[in-house]
Amino acid sequence: MKRALLVTGLVGMLVVGAGVPTMAISDRGSTSLPGTGARVEVTAWQCNAYSDKCSFKTSTKTMKGGTRFKVSKISNTATVKANGWQATLALSPSGTQVSESTRRVSWTNQNTWIADVSGIADPGGSLNTSITTCSDGGAFTSGVKAFASACAND
């Protein structure tokens, strides 16, 4: 997994909270979609620092030679986890509760090249709470499928 810091342009869309951070954390992963020449690219972004809430966004895309590659079905699942002693997590959109500290939100599209999920994480329970945002994506077309994952954490 690679960590990257994205500067201000993207951050304005990703950051919510009392203190506005100047950077976001991201991670990406990819794999080939067999027999198509295309790749499934998955990305996870989240705010780098926050005082109350933290924005997140996950994405799955299919690309071929730098251009969009339409598939039969493409999905993305965002898993957001609050890390820390007795950590809890509220999420908007609420998603599926995996545990007190973890929520999962999924989106699936058909006959297109992209599936995204975004929202606001509201961690609680500890002064030392941090957030981890994972993106799991899959694409399906012409009888082949491929999956990729990425996780961003502070």
Side-chain angles (χ1 to χ4, degrees):
M1 283 189 243
K2 299 177 191 168
R3 278 189 163 182
L5 298 177
L6 304 175
V7 239
T8 311
L10 180 59
V11 175
M13 296 185 301
L14 293 176
V15 176
V16 172
V20 178
T22 57
M23 293 183 250
I25 297 171
S26 69
D27 187 36
R28 61 186 327 162
S30 68
T31 191
S32 62
L33 187 57
T36 65
R39 295 193 66 74
V40 177
E41 299 176 357
V42 178
T43 310
W45 296 273
Q46 69 179 44
C47 65
N48 184 36
Y50 55 93
S51 61
D52 185 27
K53 295 176 176 70
C54 181
S55 299
F56 69 91
K57 180 176 180 181
T58 62
S59 177
T60 303
K61 298 176 182 176
T62 47
M63 305 292 288
K64 182 176 181 176
T67 59
R68 301 169 179 177
F69 183 79
K70 191 164 100 173
V71 293
S72 303
K73 184 176 171 183
I74 189 165
S75 62
N76 182 261
T77 299
T79 303
V80 182
K81 180 175 179 12
N83 308 301
W85 186 69
Q86 293 185 333
T88 61
L89 180 70
L91 203 65
S92 175
S94 60
T96 302
Q97 182 174 354
V98 176
S99 68
E100 278 296 311
S101 62
T102 306
R103 300 285 188 278
R104 188 169 289 141
V105 181
S106 297
W107 189 259
T108 300
N109 283 329
Q110 294 183 355
N111 299 314
T112 191
W113 67 284
I114 190 169
D116 288 348
V117 174
S118 62
I120 306 295
D122 186 1
S126 171
L127 292 176
N128 297 319
T129 302
S130 65
I131 299 290
T132 299
T133 302
C134 293
S135 178
D136 294 298
F140 313 87
T141 194
S142 303
V144 296
K145 58 188 171 194
F147 302 92
S149 297
C151 288
N153 57 2
D154 54 356

